[in-house]
Each structure stands twice: as C-alpha cells, then as structure tokens.
Amino acid sequence: MAQTVQRGGPSGSSKRKAPQTDSDPPTPAPKRSKTATARKSTGGRPPRSSTAGPASAAGQQGADPSHKKPHRFRPGTVALREIRKYQKSTDLLMRRLPFSRVVREISLDMITDENDYSASGLRWQSSAILALQEATEAFIVHLFEDACVASQSSSLTYQIDNVLLETCAPFMQRE
C-alpha cells in the first residue's frame, strides 16, 4: 500500500491515499520480540539477560567472551614492588601527627606526681619528636628484618615467637 504525500497547499500539509488495487485490508507489521541486539558498548552496565535464574547466569559468565576479568598480579608481585618502593624512599613510614599523639600520651603517663604539669603535659620540640620517630622506625624495620631471617627457616609467615626471639636474643646467654 503506497501512500502519497502532497505538500504545500493552502491548508498546510494534507495526505491523500492512493486508490487501492487489492481488496485485502492492510495487515499490521509483525511485532518484534524483545531480544538483545548487537550494539556498541557505551561503557555502562551490560543489558540484562532475558533468561532468569542463578544457574543460567553462572553458566553464561564463563561462556561470554565480552565479560573480561579484571587484571590481577600474581601473589607476591605487588609486595615486591612495594618493598622496592619503600627501600628507595627516605620519607617516614608513619604519619607525624598520630605518632606525636602517641608520644604525648605516653609521656603524660610517665609524668610523676612530684612535678606539677597539670593537664598541659610536657612541651615537645618538633625536632625531638622527629628524631624519636626516625629512631622508632629504624628499630621496627630492623626488628622485622631479623624476624624475617628467623622465620625463613621454619615458615613463610611472621610468628610472634620469631619476633620475641629477635628482641630477646641479645640478652640471652648462649651455651
């Protein structure tokens, strides 16, 4: 069935049907089913699948070539990269303000009642706290290095026994 459109007239646009040659009434176009069509991805969520159920979704994940797993490094690769990063740098590993709070809290606990410092506590120079922090970090790094050497003979995991052994080893008598 062809339709002709006549444009431009005094009444604007008017439509006129061509004379029908067939006596059959026009049939509507068949409705399309709602299935997923191939479209370019725009970066959002993928369209929901028409099948329902967890079993079908689990089976489709492995078979779907467009579903890509995120990149993962092998175990230990990121740890070695971080070790190299921190060995190259000279900056402090702990934040200054939390360390300063811990130092001030410990110093308040150690103040005796003979000296009346009231609630203000001791006053610290920033260079003194910085020196204390560098010494603390050096001690902790050395402690973990020694614990690592002690743990390599038994297992790959740090254990409290290895750390205690390294802290008490200089004071123990060897027979």
Side-chain angles (χ1 to χ4, degrees):
M1 306 290 271
Q3 294 181 350
T4 58
V5 177
Q6 184 178 13
R7 295 190 187 262
S11 63
S13 66
S14 63
K15 294 182 182 178
R16 190 184 323 165
K17 291 186 178 180
Q20 294 183 356
T21 58
D22 297 332
S23 62
D24 293 335
T27 58
K31 292 185 179 179
R32 292 184 180 178
S33 63
K34 293 184 179 181
T35 58
T37 58
R39 292 185 181 149
K40 287 187 177 180
S41 175
T42 57
R45 283 185 173 169
R48 294 182 67 176
S49 62
S50 60
T51 58
S56 64
Q60 286 182 355
Q61 283 181 356
D64 190 13
S66 65
H67 180 70
K68 199 171 185 181
K69 289 183 180 179
H71 182 264
R72 289 183 57 91
F73 288 100
R74 296 181 72 185
T77 304
V78 178
L80 289 173
R81 188 187 316 145
E82 287 177 358
I83 288 171
R84 289 189 202 103
K85 172 188 160 187
Y86 289 122
Q87 282 178 343
K88 286 178 187 176
S89 68
T90 58
D91 51 345
L92 296 171
L93 303 175
M94 293 183 275
R95 299 278 180 198
R96 288 191 178 121
L97 191 59
F99 183 81
S100 173
R101 283 193 208 114
V102 169
V103 167
R104 292 173 200 276
E105 181 182 344
I106 291 172
S107 65
L108 272 176
D109 291 342
M110 305 214 35
I111 292 176
T112 59
D113 292 333
E114 298 170 4
N115 302 329
D116 186 28
Y117 291 103
S118 67
S120 64
L122 294 174
R123 292 164 63 180
W124 287 84
Q125 287 184 350
S126 60
S127 59
I129 291 182
L130 185 63
L132 192 60
Q133 185 173 357
E134 287 184 6
T136 304
E137 287 188 6
F139 175 77
I140 291 173
V141 167
H142 185 69
L143 179 70
F144 277 119
E145 286 174 353
D146 291 345
C148 181
V149 170
S151 69
Q152 283 181 355
S153 61
S154 60
S155 67
L156 297 175
T157 308
Y158 285 122
Q159 295 176 353
I160 190 69
D161 297 336
N162 297 332
V163 177
L164 290 175
L165 178 68
E166 293 305 318
T167 56
C168 299
F171 305 111
M172 298 173 69
Q173 293 179 357
R174 297 189 182 186
E175 296 179 10

